[in-house]
Amino acid sequence: MVLDASGGQPQTRHTPAARAQGGLLVLGLFVVLLFAIELVNAATFHSLNRTFGLRPRSADGLLDILTFPLFHANLGHVASNALPLIIFGFLVFMSGLRVFLTAVAFSWFGSGTLVWLIGGWGITVGASGLVFGLFAFLLVRGFFNRNWWQIALSVVLFLTYGGILFGILPGVAGFVSWQAHLGGALGGVAAAMLLKPRRVPQERQATERKS
């Protein structure tokens, strides 16, 4: 917290406006990074995918979990992930940096882990697992938090983007990794469960009121 030099009034860095600015900056820089990596990747004939893409059920593939969302098949692949990443990521970021980082981490590792365990024999790249994870987080967190505003947002998001959930089904699109989508979505749900408010027992609440 800082003081306003003009009136001595406290200002906080956690206002909705500050969070909105921070969210746009973080998501914008991340998307710019994805495009920059893809430009370098394309210039090397996508040789980086063979190095940093996720190779299922291989010892080296465990390290690929840390890198595979940063690489894509082409610029169109990056573009298809960019807008939903910004939208969903921004909405999650509005709940705070800790919530955002938790949702991203669970989506990232959930997506990579499931691909490593049951993915096909090819190399998997792309940030769509993060998209599905953040989307799933937004869909379910209101129900865990018992927050009607968050539930209303989840309904709006489902009506607008719910069609992407078909991407978690095997065989719907042969050229995409449904394992990455499903793993990311499961990670997002797990993050929402972890971050739900803890209920204080009624006996403890009564004790705290008396004290």
Side-chain angles (χ1 to χ4, degrees):
M1 182 175 290
V2 297
L3 293 179
D4 185 354
S6 60
Q9 296 298 322
Q11 296 179 338
T12 176
R13 298 180 180 181
H14 302 289
T15 62
R19 285 185 177 177
Q21 291 176 357
L24 289 175
L25 178 63
V26 170
L27 273 302
L29 289 176
F30 182 66
V31 168
V32 168
L33 174 64
L34 294 183
F35 275 103
I37 290 175
E38 176 53 29
L39 290 175
V40 175
N41 200 11
T44 60
F45 304 99
H46 290 92
S47 62
L48 297 180
N49 287 353
R50 294 188 291 274
T51 303
F52 299 105
L54 205 164
R55 294 155 289 178
R57 294 172 298 280
S58 67
D60 293 339
L62 291 172
L63 293 177
D64 298 334
I65 292 175
L66 300 175
T67 58
F68 84 100
L70 301 175
F71 299 85
H72 291 77
N74 48 56
L75 284 173
H77 189 197
V78 182
S80 67
N81 286 327
L83 183 59
L85 267 177
I86 292 175
I87 294 174
F88 302 152
F90 174 79
L91 291 173
V92 175
F93 197 96
M94 289 301 294
S95 294
L97 181 61
R98 182 179 70 90
V99 172
F100 174 76
L101 292 177
T102 302
V104 168
F106 273 72
S107 302
W108 191 305
F109 287 101
S111 176
T113 299
L114 198 64
V115 171
W116 190 87
L117 289 173
I118 63 173
W121 293 106
I123 295 175
T124 299
V125 292
S128 57
L130 297 181
V131 172
F132 276 76
L134 295 172
F135 183 57
F137 177 85
L138 291 168
L139 287 183
V140 303
R141 66 168 177 170
F143 298 96
F144 289 122
N145 298 343
R146 298 183 180 181
N147 184 308
W148 289 107
W149 288 108
Q150 292 177 354
I151 292 174
L153 176 61
S154 71
V155 172
V156 172
L157 289 174
F158 179 79
L159 293 176
T160 307
Y161 296 101
I164 71 173
L165 293 176
F166 286 107
I168 67 175
L169 300 177
V172 172
F175 56 90
V176 300
S177 174
W178 63 268
Q179 298 94 334
H181 297 169
L182 178 59
L186 292 175
V189 173
M193 293 178 62
L194 177 68
L195 293 170
K196 71 178 181 179
R198 296 182 180 180
R199 301 184 62 185
V200 179
Q202 293 182 353
E203 295 82 359
R204 181 178 174 185
Q205 290 179 356
T207 303
E208 291 176 349
R209 292 194 194 100
K210 291 178 181 179
S211 60

